[in-house]
Amino acid sequence: MKLSTKGRYAVMAMVDLASHSRGNPVALADIAERQEISLSYLEQLFGKLRKGGLVKSVRGPGGGYLLARVPQQTRVSDIILAVDEPIQTTRCSPGTPAGCHNNKGRCLTHDLWEELGNQIYLYLSSVSLHDICERRILGSSGMFHGGDRPGGSVAAAQ
């Protein structure tokens, strides 16, 4: 599964908004500059985030966007789903018994990938904007990249 730029940029922008708002509207141009995201792309994303009830717009001088909920109540999964980013790890349509094969059967690994999608969704649902802003996300995942895998080459080389 690969998260598209739409989902990643929406999360980056929302974390920026949560970090810089302090109760005042934040201009999209400021978020665009800090996060190096196209302003027109952010405008599209924030339109979806507003429709999804995650942000509020403030018009006029000093206007911009505010979070619609406190950061503790805004989950990463909410953001990704609000911008129409599916959390899907199978080629099949979610919620249907039909599989991805030509005969509508499921592949042998369907349940594996479907459960992976469920676990990703559960994880993203457990992480709030507040968690990210406060750097409460575990940073140990890097230990499994490269030769540090359990039973991998690092242990064998020593």
Side-chain angles (χ1 to χ4, degrees), residues 22-158:
R22 294 176 180 77
N24 297 315
V26 176
L28 282 186
D30 294 339
I31 296 172
E33 185 178 326
R34 283 190 295 267
Q35 299 305 317
E36 300 177 1
I37 301 171
S38 155
L39 178 58
S40 62
Y41 196 63
L42 272 184
E43 288 169 345
Q44 294 173 33
L45 292 177
F46 270 72
K48 292 181 178 194
L49 292 167
R50 188 176 47 77
K51 286 179 187 170
L54 297 178
V55 296
K56 298 183 284 190
S57 61
V58 177
R59 297 186 182 271
Y65 283 89
L66 292 165
L67 293 175
R69 307 187 289 220
V70 295
Q72 293 89 331
Q73 294 177 345
T74 303
R75 304 287 167 190
V76 173
S77 58
D78 298 335
I79 298 166
I80 292 170
L81 294 174
V83 295
D84 300 325
E85 181 70 24
I87 300 173
Q88 185 179 352
T89 52
T90 63
R91 294 187 304 182
C92 311
S93 299
T96 63
C100 56
H101 285 181
N102 289 337
N103 67 0
K104 301 295 181 200
R106 291 183 170 192
C107 64
L108 294 173
T109 56
H110 175 88
D111 292 337
L112 170 71
W113 304 126
E114 187 171 53
E115 183 56 27
L116 174 62
N118 292 339
Q119 293 300 318
I120 291 169
Y121 176 78
L122 288 172
Y123 174 69
L124 295 176
S125 295
S126 75
V127 178
S128 70
L129 285 180
H130 182 72
D131 293 333
I132 299 169
C133 292
E134 295 294 318
R135 302 190 186 276
R136 292 186 183 156
I137 307 301
L138 296 176
S140 62
S141 61
M143 66 185 249
F144 292 112
H145 292 100
D148 291 32
R149 290 190 177 105
S153 60
V154 170
Q158 294 174 343

